[in-house]
Amino acid sequence: SDPSIDQIRQKYDEALSEMSLLNEDKDKALEELEQMEAMSHLPAVICLADYYYSGLYVQRDIEKALQYYLKAGEMGDLKSRLQAAQILRHYDEYKAEELYLDCGDDPSAHLGLGLLYNNKDSTYNSTKINKKRISKYGFENEFIRREY
């Protein structure tokens, strides 16, 4: 049977506690977070996205972070949707625009759209993404950090 919300929260709290203390068994904590993510537990999805984005406790992996941010965004988390759009702004401007527009009247989304539309190096009006621009800017530049 499916675990109760309280059981999920308890596992989530245990996993965070283990990771925040840099416990030697952080692989187990990561595994528990991934299990909760597989059950679509939003805080676990966001936590994994942030960890992979920052490289905290895990090897930095922007592509994994992006997938988790997209999943959390689909689950209704606005900050995750904005973070995914910020990452995608350098790789897929059309998808970034779609994500920003889905954020409604959020000021950060308006700012992101303005930056997207105003970028003089943008390939936005062309029919395909400029591969040279992707390699020039890469994932390492201009990313916003999640504010808590």
Side-chain angles (χ1 to χ4, degrees):
S1 75
D2 291 338
S4 72
I5 296 295
D6 290 333
Q7 289 171 321
I8 292 172
R9 284 188 182 130
Q10 181 181 358
K11 282 190 170 197
Y12 176 68
D13 290 340
E14 288 171 6
L16 285 181
S17 175
E18 286 185 41
M19 293 185 95
S20 67
L21 295 174
L22 289 173
N23 188 320
E24 289 180 11
D25 199 10
K26 65 182 175 182
D27 290 338
K28 180 182 178 229
L30 183 62
E31 183 180 312
E32 288 182 14
L33 275 174
E34 288 171 345
Q35 288 173 359
M36 288 181 285
E37 176 272 328
M39 294 185 286
S40 297
H41 183 60
L42 182 59
V45 177
I46 295 169
C47 186
L48 286 167
D50 289 343
Y51 285 164
Y52 280 107
Y53 180 79
S54 67
L56 185 65
Y57 308 118
V58 295
Q59 177 72 32
R60 188 167 195 231
D61 187 331
I62 299 298
E63 290 182 27
K64 273 188 182 180
L66 176 60
Q67 294 309 311
Y68 287 128
Y69 283 130
L70 288 170
K71 181 175 182 174
E74 289 171 5
M75 295 171 71
D77 186 63
L78 180 66
K79 285 185 177 183
S80 294
R81 186 174 292 153
L82 289 168
Q83 186 74 356
Q86 178 67 17
I87 293 169
L88 284 169
R89 197 164 55 102
H90 302 283
Y91 294 89
D92 185 341
E93 294 166 325
Y94 299 99
K95 179 67 176 169
E97 179 190 40
E98 180 183 314
L99 290 171
Y100 284 134
L101 290 172
D102 285 345
C103 293
D105 288 332
D106 182 83
S108 296
H110 288 268
L111 175 63
L113 280 170
L115 292 170
L116 181 67
Y117 295 152
N118 194 43
N119 185 349
K120 291 183 174 134
D121 292 334
S122 178
T123 59
Y124 187 72
N125 292 322
S126 70
T127 57
K128 57 186 173 183
I129 299 299
N130 183 338
K131 300 296 182 191
K132 289 181 183 175
R133 183 166 179 268
I134 290 173
S135 63
K136 177 181 174 187
Y137 290 105
F139 275 130
E140 300 300 320
N141 295 321
E142 298 183 24
F143 294 113
I144 59 173
R145 288 241 174 236
R146 190 186 264 297
E147 299 284 332
Y148 292 99

